[in-house]
């Protein structure tokens, strides 16, 4: 199967109107698709897609890469290898040595834009995407893909004042990446908090602990904790915790000889009657009937 889109790079950007840009000069924009095992099939050409920092591959421009398919590796000089995959943004800084390639057995697709920046934007971009923020996760973003396609169209058609247009689009792209990467980071933190809360609940199913105390352990307000818990788990934390205790109650009723009264107090119910009421509402059976049925 022939790959007709192997190296779809458009670099004929009009530069006559550079003096009118916004401090950014777009040198090239495009996309690249490499089919599975394409490098192996094209013997001798793998070096086109594997750039080795040890050989001193550097550029005086920024390069922004948005990966939408496949998996790969990037390694900057004096740093460890990092995995890159779909949904990731890779920022290459000017004069930076790096090694970057994709895994052969997967289809690879990337969108890219190469650009230069004046001193003001140079320092701004370096501060936003410095050495610790060169690989960002934003997931699949349709708006970002549309911007890349539109930029390619601008270059291909050769619109008047295209450099002005492309500079504005580049600002839009950079702003969108910053916003989306922060949103992803926030979502990951929220998910980590909820998973930690679930662990705390499981560890304290036989210990009296309030939901407010769990939120405090996570260093978030109870209102935020409750909202995020319901958002990611689908039920309120109180209901989830109650279901955990009912599950534990079923286990104790069937696997131990503890009395129903002991189990009720073990699970922090205020009375045996309260335990029986909650248990029957959830299962349709009293604790006594449930134990007899399972035995």
């Amino acid at each position: 199967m022939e790959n007709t889109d192997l190296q779809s790079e458009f670099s004929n950007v009009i530069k006559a109107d550079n003096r009118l840009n916004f401090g950014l000069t777009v040198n090239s924009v495009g996309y690249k698709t490499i089919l599975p095992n394409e490098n192996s099939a094209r013997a001798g050409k793998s070096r086109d897609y594997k750039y080795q920092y040890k050989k001193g591959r550097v550029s005086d421009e920024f390069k922004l890469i948005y990966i939408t398919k496949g998996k790969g590796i990037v390694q900057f000089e004096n740093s460890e290898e990092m995995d890159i995959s779909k949904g990731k943004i890779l920022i290459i800084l000017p004069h930076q040595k790096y090694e970057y390639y994709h895994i052969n057995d997967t289809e690879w697709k990337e969108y890219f834009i190469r650009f230069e920046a004046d001193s003001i934007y140079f320092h701004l971009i370096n501060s936003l995407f410095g050495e610790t923020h060169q690989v960002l996760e934003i997931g699949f973003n349709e708006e970002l893909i549309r911007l890349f396609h539109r930029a390619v169209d601008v270059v291909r058609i050769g619109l008047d004042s295209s450099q002005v247009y492309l500079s504005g689009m580049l600002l839009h792209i950079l702003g969108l990446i910053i916003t989306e990467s922060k949103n992803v980071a926030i979502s990951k933190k929220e998910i980590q908090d909820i998973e930690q809360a679930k662990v705390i609940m499981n560890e304290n199913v036989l210990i009296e602990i309030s939901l407010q105390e769990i939120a405090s352990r996570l260093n978030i307000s109870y209102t935020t904790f409750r909202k995020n818990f319901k958002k990611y788990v689908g039920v309120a934390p109180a209901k989830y915790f109650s279901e955990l205790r009912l599950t534990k109650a079923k286990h104790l009723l069937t696997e131990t000889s503890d009395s129903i009264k002991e189990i009720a107090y073990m699970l922090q119910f205020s009375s045996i009657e309260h335990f029986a009421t909650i248990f029957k509402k959830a299962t349709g059976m009293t604790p006594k009937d449930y134990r007899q049925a399972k035995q």
Side-chain angles (χ1 to χ4, degrees):
M1 180 177 178
E2 184 180 359
N3 182 7
T4 58
D5 195 25
L6 182 63
Q7 185 73 17
S8 300
E9 181 175 348
F10 303 91
S11 56
N12 55 327
V13 176
I14 300 172
K15 295 190 176 182
D17 58 351
N18 279 351
R19 65 187 186 280
L20 300 175
N21 65 29
F22 304 126
L24 299 168
T25 301
V26 175
N27 294 331
S28 65
V29 60
Y31 50 86
K32 182 190 299 179
T33 300
I34 305 174
L35 297 178
N37 301 311
E38 187 79 38
N39 289 353
S40 301
R42 298 174 178 239
K45 290 194 174 182
S46 62
R47 61 181 178 274
D48 293 339
Y49 311 112
K50 184 173 181 178
Y51 309 130
Q52 297 185 10
Y53 67 84
K54 295 175 183 177
K55 294 182 179 179
R57 177 181 169 81
V58 296
S59 172
D60 59 357
E61 61 186 359
F62 289 93
K63 184 174 182 180
L64 187 154
I65 301 166
Y66 178 36
I67 303 159
T68 56
K69 283 186 181 180
K71 298 178 181 179
I73 300 292
V74 66
Q75 183 176 15
F76 300 105
E77 190 174 27
N78 300 321
S79 67
E80 299 294 327
E81 285 189 349
M82 289 184 284
D83 294 330
I84 48 177
S85 57
K86 63 180 181 180
K88 297 284 183 70
I89 292 285
L90 177 60
I91 309 287
I92 309 296
L93 304 176
H95 310 294
Q96 184 174 41
K97 295 180 181 180
Y98 66 98
E99 182 179 24
Y100 156 60
Y101 57 93
H102 84 288
I103 306 302
N104 278 353
D105 60 0
T106 62
E107 181 180 355
W108 176 269
K109 184 162 187 176
E110 67 178 51
Y111 292 84
F112 60 86
I113 186 164
R114 297 189 183 98
F115 63 95
E116 297 173 33
D118 65 13
S119 59
I120 295 175
Y121 275 111
F122 186 93
H123 291 297
L124 176 61
I125 295 169
N126 265 334
S127 66
L128 293 171
F129 305 105
E131 293 182 359
T132 58
H133 295 89
Q134 288 186 253
V135 179
L136 302 172
E137 184 173 354
I138 66 167
F140 182 81
N141 191 288
E142 188 177 0
E143 182 180 359
L144 185 56
I145 291 175
R146 282 201 303 266
L147 284 169
F148 272 107
H149 279 290
R150 181 56 184 153
V152 168
D153 288 341
V154 169
V155 176
R156 181 187 286 140
I157 296 170
L159 297 177
D160 292 338
S161 299
S162 61
Q163 191 58 246
V164 175
Y165 201 168
L166 289 167
S167 298
M169 294 181 74
L170 176 56
L171 284 174
H172 192 168
I173 287 171
L174 292 171
L176 184 60
I177 288 170
I178 293 168
T179 301
E180 290 303 309
S181 64
K182 287 183 177 179
N183 288 340
V184 169
I186 290 170
S187 295
K188 282 188 171 182
K189 172 65 167 57
E190 290 174 349
I191 292 171
Q192 289 172 352
D193 284 345
I194 298 312
E195 290 304 314
Q196 187 177 347
K198 288 162 72 174
V199 169
I200 293 172
M201 290 180 184
N202 275 278
E203 290 177 343
N204 291 275
V205 71
L206 297 179
I207 301 172
E208 186 173 359
I209 184 172
S210 69
L211 297 175
Q212 287 78 5
E213 183 178 344
I214 294 174
S216 178
R217 288 192 189 184
L218 299 174
N219 293 317
I220 57 177
S221 69
Y222 174 69
T223 301
T224 299
F225 168 59
R226 188 179 185 283
K227 179 188 72 175
N228 290 342
F229 196 98
K230 192 168 184 179
K231 173 183 174 181
Y232 291 108
V233 182
V235 296
K239 182 173 177 59
Y240 181 87
F241 205 5
S242 177
E243 289 174 352
L244 278 183
R245 284 183 163 145
L246 285 170
T247 299
K248 186 67 174 179
K250 292 175 184 178
H251 171 77
L252 293 172
L253 287 168
T254 57
E255 302 298 328
T256 74
S257 59
D258 295 331
S259 70
I260 294 174
K261 183 177 181 180
E262 288 173 329
I263 293 172
Y265 286 109
M266 198 182 302
L267 291 169
Q268 307 302 316
F269 286 95
S270 58
S271 66
I272 189 172
E273 291 79 16
H274 182 218
F275 172 51
T277 300
I278 297 297
F279 192 91
K280 186 173 182 179
K281 183 177 180 180
T283 66
M285 305 171 70
T286 65
K288 182 179 178 180
D289 292 340
Y290 185 87
R291 169 173 272 177
Q292 291 175 344
K294 293 301 178 181
Q295 289 174 343

